[in-house]
Amino acid sequence: MMSESIDNQKFPKLDGLPVDICIFTLATERRIELNENVDKRTLKSYPKRSLELLLVQRLHEPFQDKWALPGGFTDIETETLEQAAIRELKEETYPDAGSIGDGQVSNKIYLEQLSTYYRPDRDPRGKIPSVAFIALVNEELLSGLRAGGDAKQARLFQVNMEVQDKMLYKSEDGNTKIDEADFAFDHGKIIRDAIQFVQNKMLTTTIAVKLLPREFTISELHQVISAVVPTFTPSTSNFARDLVKTKSRDGMLEEVWDEQGNPKKSTIYSARPAQLYRFRNEFEPQVSIYPRV
Amino acid sequence: MMSESIDNQKFPKLDGLPVDICIFTLATERRIELNENVDKRTLKSYPKRSLELLLVQRLHEPFQDKWALPGGFTDIETETLEQAAIRELKEETYPDAGSIGDGQVSNKIYLEQLSTYYRPDRDPRGKIPSVAFIALVNEELLSGLRAGGDAKQARLFQVNMEVQDKMLYKSEDGNTKIDEADFAFDHGKIIRDAIQFVQNKMLTTTIAVKLLPREFTISELHQVISAVVPTFTPSTSNFARDLVKTKSRDGMLEEVWDEQGNPKKSTIYSARPAQLYRFRNEFEPQVSIYPRV
DNA sequence: TTAATAGTGTCTTTAAGACATTATTAA
DNA sequence: TTAATAATGTCTTAAAGACACTATTAA
């Protein structure tokens, strides 16, 4: 029993616990570049959105040159797992990512503990655990990184969800394509678990908000969900109508109005102005496979 | 970064990781005892079902006499977290609880990792982590324990879900009532998280199967769900009809037939025989707050 | 006009829920 | 008969989904 073991001092006090983070973002790529001499109507077509994951290439053995999740240690005496994850997140992304909270780091970052991995064969140097986190980070916070590969060889990889075996390939130049065999440790397994976790959260909670601007059109929300969950393919017109009109989703979204009290609209993706919405954070999603509740 | 820290041997190889388990069961209590001289019709009325949690009273400081989750260590070199959890589970419950699997320990036990807890103030002896698991155990496997308190002072506590602050009280004699202040470490917090986790799983997956006999009536399923989730209160007749007839739940349950090809029925809770069903494990529940998928 | 998305209208089917009614069995 | 649960039937409303159609804007 636990009490006996700890009381007998069998267990050494830890210096820290390893933390690895699956940092996801949703990349938005206009189908046609702005500087080209094209019809502005075509320019406004829906962008290509792809789920991307931040990986770092290992400099040393074991797994030298393999790709791994960014991670670190809870190395301060008073630091929690979440605080360590946020610290690492900041190192890899935006230095001003925000303060600490329970899955509510900032309105542009979602952070949640995924699971702890501790299979004896996961690290050739011995039995070392890893507490894995997932983070959804708004694209703009990773813009610095995307400008080019840095010293640590951190790169964003597009997640290819059609094939479940060969999962990832490089986004920027498309040259580096990697699959499960190119991952260090058990990070391939962690990443598979993380993608499933994020997909599930995307369909059962309102985390889509972390991948959207504060005010967005219904079609943007549609784009985000179907980029993360490829099987999500309702007709855009029914989706827009149902989202706002259906009773069980009352209070999920609210229309945005400007100072004059007129409906605030956006023409970012369309010639015809589209109504802007925002998520209301009072909304508590409820899902069940059984009737009622 | 993780690679640097581990390569520099800052992190000591662990002897083991502490594992704590929230072992839940669903106690079934006939409203009237069998030996009383009562109308057999009344005897067959629905039983009282209550979610119960296994706790052990601590013998030593810190938190002497406080109640804690049963737990232990991954103390064998090749042991995984799940294996350690199963080993502890067996110690506390049925010695023949079954083999190892991913949330599929046996058809009578559900086991899943909940989260890892590591706040610096959770243990007065220093920063010690705990990997928490939840287990749903069929009542019959805990029958030995229920016979009476043993040397380790392990007891089942009824979970009182109406009041969120004062959560638990003793089941058998009803004398020992405990609340958040009577828990060791941060186990009160772990237990609250665990209850929420189990309730969510109960509504979005088919884990109810672990708390039921292999063949059961629709009313038994109804009893199980509403015992774990008190807000679940559909009318029994609509529930029975919808469960079997609704297209989106096609393949979830199947009727049981006897050797002669007649519908197999049960009179355990009713004078009129009720159809027996079983869960089909091909069924993959799908839930979403958005239309489609 | 056309390309592209925004949004409405209509119709059908499925599901949820209220509620009444009938069925079954043993005492 | 009665107590208790099992099961069916009917009606209403809410959602989901298919699909046609109109609206808006800039080139």
Side-chain angles (χ1 to χ4, degrees):
Chain A
M1 275 177 52
M2 179 179 172
S3 49
E4 295 161 20
S5 304
I6 287 197
D7 293 342
N8 294 349
Q9 301 298 329
K10 270 195 216 160
F11 188 71
K13 210 176 110 187
L14 294 178
D15 288 346
L17 220 48
V19 170
D20 289 314
I21 321 176
C22 299
I23 302 173
F24 291 101
T25 192
L26 202 59
T28 307
E29 211 179 318
R30 309 296 308 220
R31 286 213 296 259
I32 287 161
E33 288 305 314
L34 280 156
N35 55 3
E36 282 182 39
N37 185 18
V38 287
D39 193 335
K40 263 198 184 172
R41 293 171 300 185
T42 312
L43 192 89
K44 290 204 167 178
S45 59
Y46 290 145
K48 194 167 147 287
R49 295 203 192 237
S50 53
L51 187 66
E52 299 194 338
L53 174 64
L54 188 68
L55 295 172
V56 294
Q57 194 165 27
R58 285 181 58 79
L59 296 170
H60 308 290
E61 291 292 347
F63 296 108
Q64 188 170 4
D65 299 328
K66 297 284 184 187
W67 293 88
L69 295 168
F73 283 82
T74 57
D75 55 9
I76 303 163
E77 189 64 35
T78 59
E79 202 178 42
T80 66
L81 291 165
E82 283 72 21
Q83 284 164 341
I86 289 165
R87 186 169 44 75
E88 294 297 326
L89 197 51
K90 283 183 183 174
E91 277 179 28
E92 297 293 342
T93 62
Y94 187 60
D96 192 26
S99 59
I100 296 151
D102 239 14
Q104 290 289 333
V105 187
S106 86
N107 60 348
K108 285 175 182 161
I109 297 183
Y110 180 81
L111 182 74
E112 187 171 355
Q113 189 182 320
L114 172 66
S115 193
T116 296
Y117 294 81
Y118 193 50
R119 293 188 66 86
D121 53 355
R122 68 177 302 276
D123 192 316
R125 293 161 299 184
K127 233 180 127 188
I128 296 169
S130 164
V131 183
F133 279 77
I134 69 107
L136 292 188
V137 179
N138 200 298
E139 189 180 10
E140 63 190 80
L141 300 184
L142 289 173
S143 53
L145 179 106
R146 301 199 72 200
D150 68 324
K152 284 186 292 182
Q153 266 284 60
R155 274 184 182 173
L156 283 171
F157 285 82
Q158 253 183 43
V159 176
N160 179 2
M161 281 173 289
E162 270 74 61
V163 196
Q164 272 285 353
D165 298 337
K166 305 199 169 236
M167 200 71 115
L168 306 162
Y169 56 90
K170 177 150 185 301
S171 95
E172 235 86 84
D173 57 19
N175 288 340
T176 316
K177 294 187 181 180
I178 60 174
D179 64 28
E180 191 96 8
D182 301 308
F183 289 120
F185 310 103
D186 54 356
H187 289 191
K189 161 79 171 148
I190 296 178
I191 291 163
R192 262 185 288 124
D193 291 351
I195 291 167
Q196 225 181 296
F197 185 88
V198 168
Q199 289 182 331
N200 182 59
K201 287 274 167 181
M202 185 60 57
L203 293 178
T204 58
T205 74
T206 59
I207 45 163
V209 75
K210 301 295 179 186
L211 300 175
L212 285 164
R214 205 166 52 83
E215 302 172 352
F216 53 87
T217 67
I218 299 288
S219 95
E220 285 181 286
L221 174 57
H222 188 281
Q223 288 165 44
V224 167
I225 300 170
S226 43
V228 176
V229 187
T231 53
F232 180 83
T233 51
S235 94
T236 47
S237 61
N238 278 339
F239 178 72
R241 172 167 43 68
D242 293 348
L243 259 197
V244 183
K245 298 252 173 81
T246 300
K247 230 184 201 173
S248 66
R249 280 185 288 268
D250 249 9
M252 186 163 88
L253 299 180
E254 66 181 2
E255 292 183 348
V256 182
W257 307 79
D258 64 16
E259 302 77 36
Q260 286 80 45
N262 300 317
K264 199 167 165 191
K265 308 211 168 188
S266 156
T267 55
I268 185 166
Y269 295 129
S270 63
R272 176 173 174 178
Q275 179 64 49
L276 285 168
Y277 291 86
R278 71 165 78 94
F279 273 99
R280 299 183 59 187
N281 32 25
E282 308 93 64
F283 180 73
E284 277 292 331
Q286 300 215 327
V287 286
S288 171
I289 59 171
Y290 300 107
R292 269 266 195 102
V293 168
Chain B
M1 277 177 53
M2 179 180 172
S3 50
E4 295 161 19
S5 304
I6 288 197
D7 293 343
N8 294 350
Q9 301 298 329
K10 269 194 217 161
F11 188 71
K13 209 176 111 188
L14 293 178
D15 289 346
L17 220 48
V19 169
D20 289 315
I21 321 176
C22 300
I23 302 173
F24 291 101
T25 193
L26 202 59
T28 307
E29 210 180 317
R30 309 294 309 219
R31 286 211 297 257
I32 288 162
E33 288 305 313
L34 282 156
N35 55 1
E36 282 181 38
N37 185 19
V38 288
D39 193 335
K40 261 199 186 174
R41 293 171 298 182
T42 312
L43 192 90
K44 289 204 168 179
S45 58
Y46 290 145
K48 196 166 146 290
R49 296 204 191 234
S50 54
L51 187 67
E52 300 194 338
L53 174 65
L54 188 68
L55 295 173
V56 294
Q57 194 165 28
R58 285 180 59 78
L59 296 170
H60 307 290
E61 290 292 345
F63 296 107
Q64 188 171 5
D65 299 329
K66 297 284 183 186
W67 293 89
L69 295 167
F73 283 83
T74 57
D75 55 8
I76 303 162
E77 189 64 35
T78 58
E79 202 178 42
T80 67
L81 291 165
E82 283 72 22
Q83 285 165 340
I86 288 165
R87 186 169 44 75
E88 293 298 325
L89 197 51
K90 284 183 184 174
E91 277 179 28
E92 297 294 342
T93 61
Y94 188 60
D96 192 27
S99 58
I100 295 151
D102 239 13
Q104 289 290 331
V105 186
S106 87
N107 60 347
K108 284 175 185 164
I109 296 183
Y110 180 81
L111 181 75
E112 187 171 355
Q113 190 182 320
L114 171 67
S115 193
T116 296
Y117 294 81
Y118 193 50
R119 293 188 66 85
D121 53 355
R122 66 178 302 277
D123 192 317
R125 294 161 297 183
K127 234 181 125 189
I128 296 169
S130 162
V131 183
F133 280 77
I134 69 109
L136 292 188
V137 179
N138 200 299
E139 189 179 11
E140 63 190 78
L141 301 185
L142 289 173
S143 52
L145 178 106
R146 301 199 74 201
D150 67 323
K152 283 187 293 183
Q153 266 284 59
R155 274 184 181 176
L156 283 171
F157 285 83
Q158 252 182 44
V159 175
N160 179 2
M161 281 173 291
E162 269 75 60
V163 196
Q164 272 284 351
D165 298 338
K166 304 196 170 243
M167 202 71 115
L168 306 162
Y169 56 91
K170 179 154 182 297
S171 94
E172 235 87 83
D173 58 17
N175 288 341
T176 316
K177 294 187 182 180
I178 61 174
D179 64 27
E180 191 95 8
D182 300 308
F183 290 120
F185 310 103
D186 53 357
H187 290 193
K189 160 78 171 149
I190 297 178
I191 291 163
R192 262 186 287 125
D193 291 351
I195 291 167
Q196 225 181 295
F197 185 87
V198 168
Q199 290 182 330
N200 182 58
K201 287 273 167 181
M202 184 60 58
L203 293 178
T204 58
T205 75
T206 59
I207 45 163
V209 75
K210 302 293 179 187
L211 300 176
L212 285 164
R214 205 166 52 83
E215 302 172 354
F216 53 87
T217 67
I218 299 288
S219 94
E220 285 181 285
L221 174 56
H222 188 281
Q223 288 166 43
V224 166
I225 301 170
S226 44
V228 176
V229 187
T231 53
F232 181 83
T233 52
S235 93
T236 47
S237 61
N238 279 339
F239 178 72
R241 173 169 40 70
D242 293 348
L243 256 199
V244 183
K245 298 253 172 80
T246 298
K247 229 182 199 175
S248 64
R249 280 185 288 268
D250 248 11
M252 186 163 88
L253 299 180
E254 65 180 3
E255 291 182 350
V256 181
W257 308 79
D258 65 15
E259 302 77 34
Q260 286 78 45
N262 300 315
K264 199 167 166 191
K265 308 210 169 191
S266 156
T267 55
I268 185 165
Y269 295 129
S270 62
R272 175 173 174 178
Q275 178 63 49
L276 284 168
Y277 290 86
R278 71 165 77 93
F279 273 99
R280 300 184 59 189
N281 33 23
E282 306 94 63
F283 181 72
E284 277 291 332
Q286 301 215 328
V287 286
S288 171
I289 59 171
Y290 301 107
R292 268 265 195 103
V293 168

